Amino acid sequence: MSNTNKEVLLSVKHVDIAFNNEGKKFRAVKDANFDIYKGETFALVGESGSGKTTIGRAILRINECDKGEIVFKGKRISGKISKEEDTNVIRSIQMIFQDPAASLNERATIEYCISEGLYNFHLYKDEADRITKVDQALTSVGLLPEHKSRYPHEFSGGQRQRVGIARAMIMEPELIVADEPISALDVSIRAQVLNLMNKFKEEKGLTYLFIAHDLSVVRFIADRIAVIHHGRIVEIAESEELFRYPLHPYTISLLSAVPMPDPQIEKKKELVVYDELKRDLSGPKPVLQEIRPGHFIFANDREMAEYEAKLQVMEKEHEALGE
Amino acid sequence: MNENELFEFADFDETKSEHIAAPRYSYWGSVWKTFFRDRFTVFVSILLLFLICFAMIQPMISGYDPLVAPNVNNPSMRLQAPSAQYIFGTDNVGNSVFDAVWAGTRNSIIVSFVCTFINMVIGIAVGAVWGFSKRLDRIMIEVYNVLSNIPYLLLAMILQYILGAGFKPLIITMCCTDWIFVAYFIRTQVMIIRDREYNLASKCLGTSTGTMITKNILPYLISVIMTYISRTIPSYISAEVFLSYMGLGLGAKNASLGKLISQYTSYMNSYPHMFWIPVFILALISISLYIVGQKLSDAADPRTHM
C-alpha cells in the first residue's frame, strides 16, 4: 500500500534537537524524518527520555530545531517565522498534555481555561457568542455547561483531561499533538478519553500525533507507528504491519514488554531486553531505509540483508497460517 | 401480569454522573472564612485595627507638635508621673508623653506603609518581567549585584545630607534600593513556576507574556507575597525607628517613635515608664502586624481551604 496519494499535513525533515548543558551539547533528537498524512493518527513510541516529547514540542514551536526543518501544509514552521504565521500555527496545531492536573491553571475557572485561546485571538463575536462556544466545547467532551464556574481541583482526573481536550478543540485545530494523553489516567477512564479522541477525528477530520510509551494502547488508535530509541527513529510502519512483522530488535523488545491478559502466555513469555552495546554495529553508517512500501527501518546494507531474510521467513509463516 | 407490565425501563442520564455536588468554590470567600476561623487571629486583627485608627485620629485631636512646648518654663509640669490628665505622664519639656507617643506611632506607620507599597509595586512589576525574560536576567543580575551591595546606612546618611530630613527624603532613602530585593525575590518565585506545564499550555494557546504574568503567575504568588509583606511592614517601622534614633529619620519637625525612644533613653533609670511605653507600643504594633500578615498569607494558600 503506498502513501503517495495521501496529502502530507506535516513533515519533519532531518530534524536535530540539542540541549545545551553547561557547554556540552546533548542531542535529544537525531535526524528525525517522517511525514504525517492528513486524517491519520501517527504514533511516536519509545521509552522515557527517548526524545518523543521533544519532537512533539518542536512541532509546537516550544523547542527549537538545531538542524533540519518542520513543514506544515507546505510552509516551514521551524525557526524564525512571521507573527501572522505564528498565529496560524498556534491555531492549527494544538496539544493535549500528559498530566491533566498540572496542565490546567488551578487559580482560574474552567470558563477561563477553555476561553483562553478565544481571548488571545479574539475568536468570538461578543460575550454571548463566547459563552455559547464554551458551552458547546464542554458538552462535546461530555461535561456540563454548569461546570464553567468551577475550578480545576474540583474535577476528577478524567474530567480534567476532557477539559484539556475541550480547550484544544475550541481552537478548531487541524493537528493535535497528544503527549501521552492517557498515561496519567485511571485505567477505567482511558478508553473514554481514547473514544473521545476518535470521535473528534471522525467528526472533524483531525490528524493526531500520538506520543506514547506503551505499544498496546497505540495499536488501537494509531494508523502508523514510529518507534524511537535514544533520539533516533528506528522503525516506521503501518500499525498492523509493525505488529505482524517487527524487524528492529528494539521494536521486538518493546513488543515483548506488552502484557497479555493470559497467565499461560505470560508465564512462558521471554522478555527481550534491548542492549545496543551487544549488537553488531559494524559496517557503514546506518540510515532510515524502506524495506517494504511504507515500512522503514534504520539499518545499513549488511543489516538490511539480514532484515530482508528475516522478513521473508515471517511472511512465509503468515502465508502458511493462511492469512 | 406479564413481564412488560411488571418492569419498565429506567432512564439513564449520563450527565448525572458528571454533576459536582460540592458547593461553589470562591477563592476570596474561602480566604476570609479561613482567616476568621481562628479566634486569636480575630482578636489580634481587631487590636491592630484599633491601634492604627487610634494612631491616625488621636494626633489630630491633640495637635501634638514636637517643636511647640508651652510648658517648658514651668518646672512643675516637667517629668510628671502618669495621672488622669496625662495618662503616660509628661516629658522633660512638659509635653504629654501620651500625645507624643501616638503622634510618633502615626508617622512610623505612615512611613512603613508607604515604603512597603512603593517597594512592592515596583518590585513585583520588575520581578515578574525579570523572571520571565532570560535576556533581561543577565542585565538585571548585575544591577542587583550593584544595588544590593551599597551599604544601607551610608546611603541613608548621604541622602539625608543631600535631601535634608523629613517624610519625603526618608521614604526615598528607604525605597531607592530596597525594591531590588523584592524584585529578586519575585524573580526567583516566577522562575520556579514559569516552566510548569500549565504555563506551557498557555503558551501553546498563544497567551502573551503579560497575560501569563497576571493570570498564571501572580495568582499563584498571592500567598508568598503576603508573607513577604507581613515581614516588610514591621521591618520598615524598625528601620524608621533605627534611622530616627541615629538622627537620620524624620527630623526635628516630625514626631517619631525612634526619636522619642532615643530622647527618653536618658531617663531609663529615673523615669523608666517614659522609655518603655514607646518601646511597648512599637512592639505591639510590629507583632500584631506580623501575626495578621502571617495568618492572612496562610489563609491565602488554597491548600488550607479544604
Side-chain angles (χ1 to χ4, degrees):
Chain A
M1 187 178 154
S2 93
N3 289 315
T4 43
N5 52 350
K6 285 188 201 159
E7 188 191 334
V8 175
L9 185 71
L10 181 109
S11 57
V12 172
K13 292 178 179 168
H14 302 286
V15 164
D16 255 37
I17 301 166
F19 294 111
N20 269 327
N21 192 7
E22 289 166 15
K24 262 197 248 165
K25 268 202 172 173
F26 173 71
R27 279 174 85 199
V29 176
K30 299 162 196 157
D31 195 29
N33 236 332
F34 59 85
D35 290 338
I36 299 178
Y37 301 105
K38 198 169 170 50
E40 74 167 350
T41 301
F42 184 84
L44 202 53
V45 184
E47 62 194 28
S48 317
S50 59
K52 51 193 195 303
T53 301
T54 313
I55 292 181
R57 290 188 176 177
I59 293 169
L60 284 146
R61 297 178 47 76
I62 294 168
N63 292 340
E64 280 174 33
C65 302
D66 248 29
K67 280 184 211 147
E69 57 178 13
I70 298 170
V71 176
F72 179 70
K73 286 166 85 182
K75 276 184 190 158
R76 182 177 59 88
I77 58 164
S78 54
K80 279 209 171 81
I81 59 171
S82 72
K83 200 157 187 212
E84 206 177 307
E85 272 179 52
D86 189 43
T87 309
N88 221 348
V89 171
I90 287 169
R91 285 192 55 186
S92 316
I93 308 179
Q94 276 298 314
M95 186 156 183
I96 299 172
F97 289 86
Q98 175 177 12
D99 186 349
S103 62
L104 291 172
N105 185 352
E106 290 274 335
R107 303 289 165 87
T109 57
I110 296 303
E111 184 181 339
Y112 177 77
C113 287
I114 293 180
S115 333
E116 200 172 341
L118 297 182
Y119 281 128
N120 291 336
F121 302 112
H122 209 83
L123 302 174
Y124 52 97
K125 283 197 276 309
D126 48 27
E127 207 46 18
D129 184 41
R130 185 181 62 82
I131 301 279
T132 321
K133 281 192 170 173
V134 173
D135 283 354
Q136 274 171 0
L138 279 173
T139 324
S140 73
V141 294
L143 293 169
L144 309 174
E146 66 177 50
H147 288 149
K148 277 202 300 286
S149 57
R150 297 281 182 175
Y151 286 82
H153 73 256
E154 299 177 79
F155 291 85
S156 68
Q159 284 177 319
R160 274 185 238 185
Q161 191 60 296
R162 282 184 280 153
V163 171
I165 294 174
R167 170 173 71 178
M169 288 307 301
I170 207 164
M171 304 288 279
E172 296 171 354
E174 288 172 63
L175 172 69
I176 285 193
V177 176
D179 186 3
E180 306 203 24
I182 57 165
S183 53
L185 298 181
D186 202 278
V187 178
S188 59
I189 49 173
R190 287 182 174 184
Q192 188 189 24
V193 170
L194 286 182
N195 288 339
L196 194 63
M197 287 175 68
N198 270 336
K199 184 190 100 176
F200 283 127
K201 186 182 163 189
E202 277 158 32
E203 282 176 4
K204 316 217 163 155
L206 273 179
T207 308
Y208 287 113
L209 170 61
F210 193 96
I211 297 168
H213 59 248
D214 172 359
L215 270 172
S216 61
V217 172
V218 159
R219 186 173 195 170
F220 294 99
I221 190 155
D223 299 312
R224 289 196 306 136
I225 299 171
V227 177
I228 183 168
H229 180 250
H230 284 188
R232 179 81 73 185
I233 292 179
V234 294
E235 195 165 2
I236 304 177
E238 287 191 14
S239 290
E240 281 315 306
E241 170 93 6
L242 190 85
F243 277 87
R244 200 177 291 168
Y245 309 121
L247 289 177
H248 197 276
Y250 182 66
T251 313
I252 294 167
S253 141
L254 265 188
L255 277 176
S256 82
V258 175
M260 298 290 256
D262 182 338
Q264 297 298 330
I265 297 174
E266 281 292 296
K267 211 172 177 179
K268 286 179 208 142
K269 188 164 87 177
E270 258 185 70
L271 274 179
V272 187
V273 179
Y274 179 69
D275 190 349
E276 205 158 52
L277 297 174
K278 286 184 188 158
R279 283 185 62 203
D280 174 19
L281 295 167
S282 61
K285 248 183 142 189
V287 284
L288 203 61
Q289 305 187 32
E290 199 165 14
I291 192 163
R292 288 281 181 276
H295 191 161
F296 295 86
I297 188 152
F298 184 69
N300 58 26
D301 291 342
R302 178 188 51 77
E303 287 171 315
M304 212 47 191
E306 287 170 25
Y307 290 140
E308 180 63 44
K310 206 171 141 195
L311 185 53
Q312 277 171 7
V313 171
M314 282 201 283
E315 276 169 345
K316 274 202 190 107
E317 273 174 20
H318 274 279
E319 263 168 42
L321 284 166
E323 279 182 25
Chain B
M1 276 178 127
N2 62 23
E3 242 175 53
N4 285 341
E5 287 169 73
L6 281 168
F7 298 99
E8 60 174 325
F9 281 104
D11 286 330
F12 176 67
D13 186 2
E14 237 178 65
T15 58
K16 281 264 160 62
S17 64
E18 305 288 350
H19 183 74
I20 296 174
R24 293 212 177 280
Y25 173 82
S26 115
Y27 177 73
W28 289 106
S30 306
V31 169
W32 296 124
K33 222 168 99 191
T34 316
F35 182 73
F36 288 118
R37 206 157 45 197
D38 185 17
R39 253 191 237 156
F40 176 68
T41 317
V42 176
F43 169 73
V44 178
S45 313
I46 293 169
L47 177 75
L48 179 66
L49 208 64
F50 174 76
L51 283 172
I52 292 175
C53 289
F54 196 78
M56 291 299 141
I57 295 162
Q58 204 277 339
M60 278 194 248
I61 299 164
S62 71
Y64 175 80
D65 185 341
L67 295 181
V68 179
N71 303 323
V72 73
N73 294 322
N74 183 356
S76 66
M77 282 300 287
R78 286 189 216 151
L79 299 166
Q80 278 186 10
S83 63
Q85 200 190 348
Y86 299 107
I87 300 171
F88 293 162
T90 58
D91 60 12
N92 52 333
V93 290
N95 279 341
S96 164
V97 174
F98 188 75
D99 295 350
V101 163
W102 289 111
T105 308
R106 187 191 72 153
N107 291 345
S108 299
I109 288 175
I110 290 174
V111 167
S112 94
F113 274 63
V114 169
C115 286
T116 305
F117 180 77
I118 294 173
N119 279 327
M120 278 295 155
V121 170
I122 299 175
I124 290 170
V126 173
V129 181
W130 182 2
F132 248 95
S133 163
K134 280 182 187 131
R135 218 182 311 153
L136 190 65
D137 189 48
R138 250 172 268 146
I139 307 163
M140 284 304 291
I141 274 292
E142 296 309 320
V143 176
Y144 171 76
N145 286 339
V146 173
L147 285 184
S148 65
N149 281 310
I150 296 174
Y152 182 62
L153 203 57
L154 186 73
L155 183 80
M157 279 158 86
I158 292 169
L159 279 173
Q160 294 271 307
Y161 278 127
I162 299 168
L163 302 167
F167 271 100
K168 241 195 247 165
L170 184 66
I171 289 168
I172 292 172
T173 308
M174 297 217 279
C175 293
C176 72
T177 57
D178 269 20
W179 60 270
I180 197 85
F181 296 103
V182 184
Y184 186 77
F185 171 76
I186 296 293
R187 167 227 180 225
T188 314
Q189 296 296 323
V190 170
M191 281 177 128
I192 292 169
I193 57 175
R194 179 186 64 193
D195 293 328
R196 289 219 187 136
E197 213 164 56
Y198 75 95
N199 290 320
L200 215 62
S202 286
K203 212 175 157 190
C204 289
L205 289 163
T207 307
S208 64
T209 309
T211 317
M212 291 258 265
I213 289 170
T214 51
K215 292 276 186 185
N216 291 17
I217 305 286
L218 290 183
Y220 274 75
L221 294 182
I222 289 175
S223 182
V224 286
I225 290 175
M226 292 263 219
T227 313
Y228 200 88
I229 291 177
S230 79
R231 267 185 308 156
T232 308
I233 295 179
S235 86
Y236 279 126
I237 294 184
S238 311
E240 185 276 317
V241 167
F242 174 69
L243 289 176
S244 297
Y245 186 90
M246 300 295 287
L248 291 167
L250 291 167
K253 275 183 272 176
N254 301 301
S256 132
L257 274 183
K259 215 172 62 199
L260 288 178
I261 293 169
S262 100
Q263 261 174 33
Y264 297 163
T265 311
S266 41
Y267 300 98
M268 206 170 160
N269 288 326
S270 43
Y271 302 96
H273 69 272
M274 275 172 64
F275 173 77
W276 286 112
I277 284 167
V279 169
F280 176 73
I281 300 272
L282 172 71
L284 203 60
I285 289 181
S286 291
I287 291 168
S288 47
L289 269 172
Y290 189 73
I291 289 172
V292 170
Q294 221 18 270
K295 295 281 178 189
L296 207 56
S297 72
D298 280 352
D301 186 349
R303 275 169 292 189
T304 62
H305 294 174
M306 297 304 147

